[in-house]
Amino acid sequence: MQERPRVLFVGDDASSPDIAASMLRRLVGDRVEIRTAGAQRPDPGGRGDDILVQMGLNPASEERLSAQALNVADHVVVLGTHLDVARVAGRTYEEWDVEQDDLAGRVRRLAVDLLGGTEDEPFRRSRVRRVLAWARRRRVVVALARGLRRLRSRTP
């Protein structure tokens, strides 16, 4: 079995990395291992925490940037051009200017780079998953499966 790519988003605090990680997670699901780290100590209850909570993210899960986090990642994305993050050999590093860059577009291109395929492919897969999740909640899949079994049992 092929090992999942491992991505680490690094920023000043948890807000930008957690937002980018959430966007990537929506595109790739569990096919990529995604972690975040803040370069500075967490500021509990700050403005960034409010934004994260509104997005449904947990600011308490913020991790401080460490050598271990850098060693575990295959791909490190530094959110901000002013951060000086140590470089570990054998890792891919990207620096994104969160003030100028289109974060959603950059995350989308990263998903394509990590998984291969076309730009639409991660989105198509995530849409299919959402439709299947909706159908499961509505028990549509169960009803379809029962109907198919009945048809098969009637067919000679």
Side-chain angles (χ1 to χ4, degrees), residues 50-127:
D50 294 340
I51 293 168
L52 295 175
V53 168
Q54 289 174 7
M55 292 182 68
L57 302 172
N58 181 4
S61 66
E62 179 179 351
E63 182 180 323
R64 181 92 194 264
L65 181 60
S66 66
Q68 179 190 8
L70 290 170
N71 281 321
V72 170
D74 301 315
H75 200 100
V76 179
V77 178
V78 180
L79 300 169
T81 57
H82 61 283
L83 290 177
D84 186 22
V85 175
R87 303 287 199 233
V88 176
R91 307 299 184 261
T92 302
Y93 284 82
E94 287 189 40
E95 194 173 274
W96 295 356
D97 184 352
V98 290
E99 300 294 323
Q100 302 293 323
D101 290 343
D102 169 29
L103 187 61
R106 294 295 299 255
V107 169
R108 184 178 181 161
R109 285 188 293 281
L110 176 62
V112 170
D113 289 346
L114 293 170
L115 300 177
T118 64
E119 278 228 23
D120 262 357
E121 193 170 345
F123 286 113
R124 273 189 267 131
R125 289 181 186 165
S126 65
R127 276 190 224 123

Side-chain angles (χ1 to χ4, degrees), residues 124-135:
R124 273 189 267 131
R125 289 181 186 165
S126 65
R127 276 190 224 123
V128 168
R129 283 193 182 118
R130 283 195 303 266
V131 168
L132 288 175
W134 173 85

Side-chain angles (χ1 to χ4, degrees), residues 12-15 38-52 59-60 62-64:
D12 274 336
D13 57 14
S15 57
Q40 298 178 7
R41 294 201 181 281
D43 178 22
R47 184 173 175 265
D49 283 1
D50 294 340
I51 293 168
L52 295 175
E62 179 179 351
E63 182 180 323
R64 181 92 194 264

Side-chain angles (χ1 to χ4, degrees), residues 143-156:
L144 287 173
R146 285 182 187 147
L148 286 173
R149 277 194 294 257
R150 282 188 214 127
L151 283 174
R152 285 186 190 140
S153 65
R154 293 180 192 168
T155 309

